[in-house]
């Protein structure tokens, strides 16, 4: 029942992330405030990323149950505020609150599963969590479109409420983890430096891709601020009594290899979801809905591979081969995407390439989470898991900003910005302008995937360097260090 509750919590976060984008133009038309358009997404991404390490660390100090309950309550409150927002300013603020809850849910879901399920059995469960994101990424835009067309955009935020209430009730009733006696002194300075440093980094990246260039004065100023804050964090942490992010984790062999690998996999996978719809709409002329449906092969590959890899890992106890095989599929998949063009053969390459990339994600990502959790002590489980989630988010964010700038550089002065924002308009241009524009956009997107191939190769190298550690056969709550330190034992098996 705890597992079902965490699935419900993950589903509400994932569904929200994929439905809101569909309604943004309608929301702007209703509330006005076109200048705040991008901040509806940026505020959510900013807070959800920044709070991830905080929830991980605080759960190590105060226990998982209060933190996951807090995450869901905050997300619930943010959703209601979004639905009732009278202006774009209030909506942006409400989305920031919703992002805090979403960041906590993403971090805590994997940590709670680690507490109640042994690493040997965890693969199939974590794989199911990954499949939720795949399914909602396809279903979300369709659901959002139906809601906007039939009722009101405000119901996009209210549709989360049943999931939230159900998850909250199930967690309250069934999650009974032991209470652990720990040093609860909080590293306030470390938390401040880390959160402000990560926030500054995300704002810098957002401004580069949306408002300013790489060499503008605001960008350079923010880069300096980011470097100063994160450098201060690294200098302070060795002296903290109870560090927010223990630096000894970076001496862990598995973390040294797996965290860079998942960062690069997340960075390259985000390019598919962002630039393939642009290619399909501009070059082939399909509708936004159909371009989303053409991403289904990637989601099928992800779902099938995560299902079978999880079960195989449980049966054999071996996991190292899956990140290696997954990143190999990633290299081949990205190479196939460099062959796309405005022809039937090009679409076939795109479909097969996306399927391969989906297989990579399903094979590499869930197993990587298990490998990290299996390699650290129980008292560092929360912060180590949140570190992985944080790096995935930063990988995607930095990648989209960098490759978005590459796309802009290729089309600048050749394609009007309105055709990038509404790519289907390209097919309404007279010849030869239509063919010339399609060629420019197609070449720019192909270049993006060509540049991404070396990143995938580096991810493969990191995956190959991972050493396999025998998977533990007991859950975290059964660990001897937990039993020796617990204040209250909970009520039997917390997974019941």
């Amino acid at each position: 029942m705890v597992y079902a509750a965490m699935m419900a919590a993950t589903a509400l976060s994932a569904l929200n992330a994929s439905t809101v984008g569909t309604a943004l133009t309608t929301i702007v038309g209703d509330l006005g405030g076109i200048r705040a358009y991008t901040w509806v997404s940026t505020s959510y991404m900013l807070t959800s990323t920044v709070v991830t390490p905080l929830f991980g660390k605080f759960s190590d100090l105060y226990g998982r149950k209060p933190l996951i309950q807090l995450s869901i309550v905050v997300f619930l409150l943010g959703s209601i505020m979004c639905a009732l927002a009278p202006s774009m300013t209030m909506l942006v603020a409400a989305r920031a609150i919703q992002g805090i809850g979403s960041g906590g849910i993403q971090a805590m879901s994997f940590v709670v599963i680690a507490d109640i399920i042994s690493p040997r059995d965890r693969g199939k469960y974590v794989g199911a969590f990954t499949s939720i994101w795949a399914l909602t990424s396809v279903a979300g835009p369709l659901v959002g479109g139906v809601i906007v067309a039939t009722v009101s955009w405000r119901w996009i935020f209210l549709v989360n409420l049943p999931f939230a209430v159900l998850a909250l009730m199930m967690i309250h009733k069934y999650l009974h983890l032991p209470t652990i006696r720990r040093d609860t002194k909080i590293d306030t300075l470390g938390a401040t430096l880390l959160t402000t440093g990560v926030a500054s980094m995300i704002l810098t990246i957002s401004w580069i891709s949306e408002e300013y260039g790489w060499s503008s004065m605001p960008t350079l100023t923010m880069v300096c601020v980011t470097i100063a804050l994160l450098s201060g964090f690294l200098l302070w942490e060795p002296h903290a009594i109870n560090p927010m992010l223990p630096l000894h984790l970076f001496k862990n062999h598995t973390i040294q290899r797996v965290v860079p690998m998942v960062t690069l996999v997340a960075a390259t996978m985000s390019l598919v979801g962002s630039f393939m719809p642009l290619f399909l709409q501009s070059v082939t002329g399909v509708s936004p809905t159909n371009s989303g449906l053409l991403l289904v092969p990637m989601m099928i590959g992800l779902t099938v591979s995560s299902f079978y890899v999880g079960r195989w890992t449980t049966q054999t106890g071996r996991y190292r081969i899956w990140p290696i095989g997954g990143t190999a599929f990633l290299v081949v998949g990205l190479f196939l995407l460099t062959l796309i063009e405005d022809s039937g053969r090009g679409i076939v390459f795109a479909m097969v390439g996306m399927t391969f990339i989906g297989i990579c994600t399903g094979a590499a990502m869930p197993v990587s989470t298990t490998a990290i959790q299996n390699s650290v002590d129980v008292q560092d489980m929360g912060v180590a898991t949140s570190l992985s989630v944080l790096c995935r988010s930063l990988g995607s964010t930095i990648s989209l900003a960098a490759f978005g700038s590459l796309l802009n550089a290729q089309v600048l002065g050749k394609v009007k910005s309105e055709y990038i924002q509404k790519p289907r308009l390209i097919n309404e241009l007279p010849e030869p302008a239509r063919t010339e524009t399609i060629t420019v956009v197609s070449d720019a997107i192909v270049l993006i995937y060509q540049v991404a191939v070396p990143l995938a190769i580096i991810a493969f190298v990191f995956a190959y360097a991972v050493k396999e550690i025998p998977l533990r056969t007991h859950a975290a709550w059964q660990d001897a260090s937990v039993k020796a330190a617990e204040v209250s034992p909970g009520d039997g098996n917390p997974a019941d």
Side-chain angles (χ1 to χ4, degrees):
M1 296 303 293
V2 172
Y3 178 67
M6 301 313 301
M7 290 277 281
T10 302
L12 72 93
S13 176
L15 188 63
N16 176 265
S18 59
T19 55
V20 173
T22 308
L24 276 180
T25 53
T26 304
I27 293 172
V28 171
D30 186 17
L31 298 180
I34 185 64
R35 292 182 62 84
Y37 179 92
T38 57
W39 279 97
V40 175
S41 298
T42 301
S43 62
Y44 181 89
M45 176 184 66
L46 175 66
T47 55
S48 63
T49 303
V50 165
V51 302
T52 298
L54 300 183
F55 274 95
K57 181 62 178 180
F58 290 158
S59 74
D60 285 336
L61 296 177
Y62 302 114
R64 317 299 190 204
K65 187 173 182 176
L67 271 297
I68 185 61
Q69 289 177 317
L70 176 62
S71 300
I72 296 174
V73 169
V74 172
F75 187 90
L76 187 64
L77 176 63
S79 297
I80 295 173
M81 292 176 64
C82 287
L84 300 177
S87 66
M88 283 294 285
T89 302
M90 289 300 297
L91 180 62
V92 169
R95 284 284 283 170
I97 294 173
Q98 197 181 37
I100 294 174
S102 177
I105 290 170
Q106 292 180 52
M108 296 309 302
S109 295
F110 290 107
V111 178
V112 170
I113 294 302
D115 278 338
I116 65 176
I117 300 171
S118 70
R120 179 69 180 263
D121 296 325
R122 198 176 300 155
K124 56 186 179 183
Y125 293 96
V126 177
F129 273 81
T130 306
S131 299
I132 288 178
W133 288 94
L135 295 174
T136 55
S137 66
V138 175
L142 299 178
V143 172
V146 171
I147 291 175
V148 170
T150 57
V151 281
S152 166
W153 61 264
R154 297 181 185 276
W155 282 95
I156 284 181
F157 300 103
L158 297 177
V159 76
N160 298 312
L161 303 191
F163 291 100
V165 174
L166 177 63
L168 202 58
M169 293 173 60
M170 294 174 69
I171 289 170
H172 176 74
K173 183 175 181 179
Y174 295 107
L175 182 59
H176 303 291
L177 291 168
T179 302
I180 309 302
R181 183 184 292 111
R182 299 201 193 284
D183 176 11
T184 57
K185 184 176 178 60
I186 298 175
D187 178 17
T188 305
L189 179 58
T192 301
L193 290 171
L194 178 60
T195 54
T196 54
V198 172
S200 176
M201 180 188 299
I202 294 174
L203 287 175
T204 302
I205 293 168
S206 299
W207 288 350
I208 288 172
S209 59
E210 295 170 4
E211 298 183 35
Y212 306 105
W214 288 89
S215 58
S216 66
M217 184 56 66
T219 297
L220 295 177
T221 301
M222 289 299 293
V223 167
C224 292
V225 171
T226 300
I227 293 174
L229 290 170
L230 294 180
S231 298
F233 171 75
L234 294 176
L235 292 172
W236 164 253
E237 285 300 272
H239 306 287
I241 297 175
N242 190 6
M244 179 57 59
L245 181 60
L247 297 186
H248 69 79
L249 289 177
F250 294 98
K251 298 179 182 179
N252 180 300
H253 180 278
T254 300
I255 289 178
Q256 287 177 348
R257 274 70 175 176
V258 173
V259 168
M261 183 202 74
V262 298
T263 302
L264 290 169
V265 170
T268 50
M269 183 184 175
S270 66
L271 302 179
V272 179
S274 298
F275 296 110
M276 278 307 298
L278 174 61
F279 171 82
L280 294 170
Q281 291 178 50
S282 60
V283 177
T284 67
V286 301
S287 67
T289 300
N290 288 334
S291 69
L293 292 176
L294 288 174
L295 297 178
V296 168
M298 182 173 71
M299 302 311 168
I300 292 175
L302 187 157
T303 303
V304 172
S305 63
S306 64
F307 176 81
Y308 282 104
V309 167
R311 291 188 174 275
W312 186 267
T313 301
T314 297
Q315 291 175 4
T316 64
R318 306 296 296 273
Y319 63 86
R320 179 174 176 265
I321 186 176
W322 301 119
I324 296 174
T327 49
F329 269 96
L330 177 63
V331 173
V332 176
L334 285 172
F335 174 75
L336 290 174
L337 293 187
T338 65
L339 306 177
I340 58 178
E341 55 189 24
D342 184 15
S343 68
R345 188 182 65 174
I347 297 300
V348 171
F349 282 139
M351 297 298 102
V352 176
M354 288 190 291
T355 302
F356 276 29
I357 293 172
I359 291 173
C360 160
T361 307
M365 289 302 205
V367 169
S368 299
T369 300
T370 300
I372 289 174
Q373 293 171 337
N374 185 66
S375 70
V376 300
D377 295 332
V378 174
Q379 59 265 30
D380 291 328
M381 186 81 71
V383 69
T385 304
S386 64
L387 173 64
S388 175
V389 176
L390 172 65
C391 289
R392 291 184 196 184
S393 299
L394 290 178
S396 297
T397 303
I398 294 172
S399 173
L400 291 177
F403 285 97
S405 297
L406 178 61
L407 175 71
N408 292 335
Q410 296 301 306
V411 302
L412 185 64
K414 303 175 184 177
V415 179
K416 294 181 179 179
S417 60
E418 63 181 293
Y419 294 131
I420 300 299
Q421 297 169 358
K422 298 180 179 179
R424 291 192 72 194
L425 295 178
I426 294 175
N427 288 274
E428 299 177 5
L429 290 171
E431 295 292 353
R434 173 185 174 276
T435 300
E436 293 173 353
T437 303
I438 287 176
T439 300
V440 171
V441 174
S442 177
D443 289 347
I445 295 174
V446 167
L447 177 62
I448 286 173
Y449 293 125
Q450 289 173 340
V451 175
V453 170
L455 299 180
I457 294 174
I458 296 173
F460 173 82
V461 172
F462 276 114
Y464 192 82
V466 173
K467 294 179 181 178
E468 191 155 44
I469 301 173
L471 295 175
R472 293 192 291 262
T473 55
H474 62 271
W477 74 278
Q478 298 170 315
D479 193 270
S481 63
V482 173
K483 291 184 176 297
E486 67 185 17
V487 174
S488 64
D491 301 323
N493 188 340
D496 289 341

